[in-house]
Structures are given as C-alpha cells and as structure tokens.
Amino acid sequence: MSTPASPRSARQILFALLLLAGNTVYASQILQMSRPFATGEPGPAFLPALLCGFVYIAVLCILVSELRKPAAAALAAAEGSEHVPHVGLLGPVLAIALTASFIIGFFYVGYLPAALVYTALIAGYFNYEESGHLRRAALIGVVTGLCVTLFGWLFFVQLFDLYLPLWEF
C-alpha cells in the first residue's frame, strides 16, 4: 500500500522535475556547439556539458531520495530545521542573495575573495541549518570555502589556462 507524499516531498519532487526540464532545455543548446574535445582540448561546450551531467545526477538523487523516504521521515522533514526558524523561506532567499553578491563581488574584487566568502557562507549556513552548532558550521564553512576556491583556481587557471580576475589594487 502506498502512502501519500508529504507536502515537503511533493515540493522536492516538483523542484526536481522543474530542474530536469530546465536542464534539458539548457542541454539541447549544448548540442548545437562543437564537441568538447573535437580539437583535442576542452572546447566551449565542455563546462556546460559537465554542469548538465551534474544536474542530471542531482535530479536523480533528489527523486530517489524523496521516493524512498518513509512517510514518517517525510513528515518530520516537512517541519523544517529546529535550529533555523523559518528555514523554508530563509535558505532559498539567502542562497539567492549570496549568489547575487558573488556575481557582483567577482566583478569588483575578483575571484579569490568573492569565491571564498560565497562558498564559506553557503556551506556554513547549510551546515548550521542541519547541525545547529554555530562554531562547527563556521569552521566547516571556512574549510569548504578554502578548498572550493583553491580547487576552482587550480581547475580554471592552472589546468585550462583561463583568466580569473584577482583582487588587484
């Protein structure tokens, strides 16, 4: 006998399906570009193709997780975080605001500070939302920010010889 999906599970499934549709439209545009390694080097379609693959995997993970979740766990998840009040609205608003700040910061202060602050704050917030331990979340946020920023710089600048603006005076 099937149990009805909780409102939170239904929203997660709807989100995954919308993400799937948007990603498919985006992926269809990539097909119009030359193959990523047609000339032996990554071409303009490489990173978009990589991103699309990642999004398809993420959608699959969301759907599998939500469809396998027992009804009691789904109902408990619908209540939200006990550590961050009104997490249902705060998380997405914060993610959008931080992403906009990263885009603006990238232009004015460069990749390193913008990426470090962005990834540290995002990782720290979502870890705090889950655990409720502020110091631990802040530490994880800083370590995550350092690792992601360094990996991004090594990936784009060292591996692909692309220019990332740095904070220059």
Side-chain angles (χ1 to χ4, degrees), residues 3-16 58-71 73-75 77-78:
T3 58
S6 72
R8 174 142 171 105
S9 286
R11 287 193 308 258
Q12 294 290 354
I13 291 169
L14 179 62
F15 169 74
V59 166
L60 181 65
C61 290
I62 292 169
L63 290 174
V64 167
S65 171
E66 291 303 316
L67 294 174
R68 297 178 98 197
K69 188 182 293 183
L75 186 58

Side-chain angles (χ1 to χ4, degrees), residues 22 47 81 102 113 115 127 130 136 143 147 162 167:
L47 287 177
S81 171
F102 168 73
N127 188 274
E130 183 180 325
R136 182 175 180 269
V143 170
C147 291
L162 298 173
W167 195 0

Side-chain angles (χ1 to χ4, degrees), residues 94-155:
L94 183 66
I96 290 168
L98 287 174
T99 302
S101 299
F102 168 73
I103 293 167
I104 294 166
F106 186 84
F107 180 74
Y108 287 106
V109 299
Y111 169 76
L112 292 175
L116 177 63
V117 170
Y118 173 71
T119 54
L121 290 175
I122 287 281
Y125 172 77
F126 286 109
N127 188 274
Y128 176 69
E129 175 186 280
E130 183 180 325
S131 71
H133 297 97
L134 185 59
R135 286 185 188 184
R136 182 175 180 269
L139 178 63
I140 289 173
V142 168
V143 170
T144 302
L146 287 169
C147 291
V148 168
T149 302
L150 178 63
F151 175 77
W153 184 79
L154 289 172
F155 184 79

